[in-house]
Amino acid sequence: MRPSCLTWFFLPYLMPLIILVGYDRHPLYDAIEPSEETGPLPNITIIATGGTVAGATNSSEKTTDYKAGAIHIGALTRDIDVAWRNHANVHHDQFMNVDSININLSLAISLSQHVTKAANNPYIQGMVITHGTDLMSEMAMFLGLTVTSNKPVVMTGAIRPHTAFSADGPGHIVAAVKTAATTGWSSEGREVVIAIQDKIMAPWGTKKENNRFLPGPRSLLGDIKDFEPFFRWLPGPCAPMKFDLSGLSPETPMPEVVILQAHQDFPAYLVEAAIAKGAKGMVLVGYGDGYWPAASAEEIKKLVNKNNVVVAFASEGRSEYVANARIGAGIPGGTGARVSFGSSCSFYFGLGLLKKKCGGLS
C-alpha cells in the first residue's frame, strides 16, 4: 500500500518525535561530573589527551597518514560504554587533543596537576588517561613521579587510528576502565600503570618498540583476557621518589637536561658544547649495560667534574644495572635505565635540579 498524501504531510513533524524515542532507547550513560549520587559502582574518569587512539583519516582502509587527536572522547566511547556498565560509572574529561610527540614539559606539568586534582576528588576512585603511544612510557613515568595519590591511574592508547577497520583503541579503553575499577593493586608509588596490547605494565623501563610495548624488568604486572584485568605479579617496582608540582606554574623554566648517545668516535666536544649552552644535567646512553668509549670517557669525566653537571647513565639494552666504570663520574642507572628512559631521566633530573635550586618541590 502506498502512503497517503496525509502521511507525507505529517512526516516532517513526526521525525523529531521518532528521533527522540530512538535516542531514549539508548540514553547517554556517562555523566559529565562525578558525584556521590552514582551508586555503588566506582567513578572512573577518562582524561583524554589525544594521540592515535583519537586519530582519524579519510578512509577506513588507512592506518597511516592520519591526524592524531582528531576525535572527542565522547565519540570514542559512544559505542563501547555498554562494556563497563556493570563495572564503573565513567565520566569524560577532554583535557587536550594533540599528538603525543607535541606534548612539551609545560603540557606535561599541566597534565600531572590535572590528574592530581582529579585524584583528590573524593568521588573519583580511579582515572584512565588516553594518550599517544610514542610518548606514553615517558609520560607514565613522569606521572608516576609527580602524581601525589594512591588512586589507580591507567594509561592506554592505540596503534591504529579510530577510523580504521582494525582500530584497537576501543578495546584498549574498555580494558583500561576495568583495570582502573579493579581494587587492591594500587598503592603509594605504584599507582600508575600502562594497559595496552593485553598487558598491564608498570612504567619503569617499559618502552614501545616496533609498535609493541615491552615491559621493563619486573614491570609486567598482569594480563588482559577478554578485556578483563588479571594481576599476577604484584606489587611491581615502586617510584623512587615523588615531586609535588601543585605549587609550580607550568611555565616555570626548568633546568635544561640533554640526552647524548654513544657512537663510534664520539667527540667530547658535544658534552662541552651542551655545558656551554647552559645544560645542568645530562643523560649519557652507552653501549651494552651503559659503557662509554674510552677515547672520550676521560675527557667527559674532566668536563663533568669541572662544571658540576649532574650526569646519569642509561643503556641501549635491557640490563637492570647500568655501569659508569669507563667514565667514573655520574650516577649509574638502575632498573630499566635504557634508551626510552632518556626523556623521563630529563624530567626526573630537571625536577631534581629545580628542587635543589629553589626548594620549591617536596
Side-chain angles (χ1 to χ4, degrees):
M1 175 182 289
R2 296 178 61 187
S4 67
C5 293
L6 192 61
T7 302
W8 288 114
F9 177 79
F10 281 108
L11 187 59
Y13 300 96
L14 293 172
M15 282 304 294
L17 180 60
I18 294 171
I19 293 172
L20 182 61
V21 171
Y23 180 81
D24 189 58
R25 293 180 64 184
H26 185 71
L28 183 64
Y29 181 74
D30 294 338
I32 296 175
E33 293 290 342
S35 73
E36 58 184 337
E37 305 298 331
T38 51
L41 295 178
N43 287 326
I44 304 299
T45 294
I46 300 178
I47 301 174
T49 68
T52 298
V53 68
T57 184
N58 58 6
S59 170
S60 298
E61 297 179 352
K62 294 185 68 174
T63 59
T64 59
D65 299 325
Y66 55 86
K67 177 177 173 55
I71 303 175
H72 190 275
I73 183 60
L76 295 181
T77 61
R78 184 176 297 132
D79 296 326
I80 59 175
D81 60 356
V82 66
W84 54 60
R85 290 189 179 182
N86 294 325
H87 296 265
N89 301 305
V90 176
H91 314 275
H92 299 152
D93 181 0
Q94 187 74 57
F95 180 68
M96 55 183 168
N97 214 355
V98 299
D99 190 323
S100 66
I101 63 174
N102 294 321
I103 297 179
N104 56 23
L105 186 55
S106 177
L107 287 175
I109 292 172
S110 295
L111 177 60
S112 174
Q113 292 172 337
H114 190 75
V115 174
T116 298
K117 181 179 178 181
N120 289 332
N121 184 331
Y123 302 128
I124 293 178
Q125 282 72 53
M127 289 138 286
V128 170
I129 302 175
T130 58
H131 197 280
T133 56
D134 284 338
L135 202 66
M136 184 180 293
S137 296
E138 287 84 350
M139 185 59 69
M141 283 187 273
F142 179 68
L143 294 177
L145 292 169
T146 59
V147 172
T148 53
S149 169
N150 61 359
K151 293 181 181 179
V153 178
V154 183
M155 297 194 69
T156 195
I159 301 300
R160 296 180 292 277
H162 186 72
T163 52
F165 284 130
S166 56
D168 52 335
H172 289 161
I173 294 174
V174 170
V177 167
K178 292 183 179 181
T179 301
T182 301
T183 60
W185 63 266
S186 177
S187 60
E188 185 68 30
R190 296 184 174 92
E191 58 282 290
V192 180
V193 299
I194 298 170
I196 196 169
Q197 295 176 331
D198 296 329
K199 294 187 288 289
I200 305 170
M201 298 161 282
W204 315 108
T206 295
K207 71 172 182 176
K208 176 187 175 185
E209 188 173 279
N210 296 325
N211 277 343
R212 299 296 300 175
F213 275 82
L214 306 176
R218 300 192 303 275
S219 286
L220 181 61
L221 306 179
D223 306 314
I224 302 292
K225 302 291 186 183
D226 298 326
F227 306 105
E228 300 278 353
F230 292 88
F231 286 92
R232 306 183 190 279
W233 302 283
L234 293 176
C238 183
M241 65 185 303
K242 288 281 188 175
F243 297 92
D244 183 1
L245 305 184
S246 58
L248 182 69
S249 168
E251 304 305 322
T252 300
M254 299 290 284
E256 185 171 355
V257 178
V258 299
I259 304 171
L260 297 173
Q261 185 159 2
H263 57 80
Q264 187 178 24
D265 297 325
F266 179 90
Y269 68 74
L270 292 179
V271 174
E272 186 175 15
I275 295 173
K277 287 291 185 179
K280 302 300 182 184
M282 293 186 186
V283 180
L284 300 183
V285 183
Y287 292 110
D289 60 352
Y291 285 93
W292 203 263
S296 58
E298 189 61 32
E299 188 64 27
I300 292 174
K301 179 180 178 180
K302 292 178 182 178
L303 289 168
V304 168
N305 290 334
K306 177 183 177 181
N307 294 279
N308 196 28
V309 175
V310 179
V311 176
F313 293 86
S315 168
E316 291 181 326
R318 300 178 62 82
S319 172
E320 293 192 37
Y321 176 75
V322 178
N324 67 344
R326 295 193 181 183
I327 291 184
I331 306 168
T335 300
R338 47 199 171 104
V339 173
S340 71
F341 194 37
S343 299
S344 287
C345 278
S346 298
F347 286 144
Y348 184 86
F349 284 113
L351 292 170
L353 290 166
L354 183 65
K355 178 180 179 181
K356 180 179 179 181
K357 176 181 177 182
C358 62
L361 304 176
S362 59

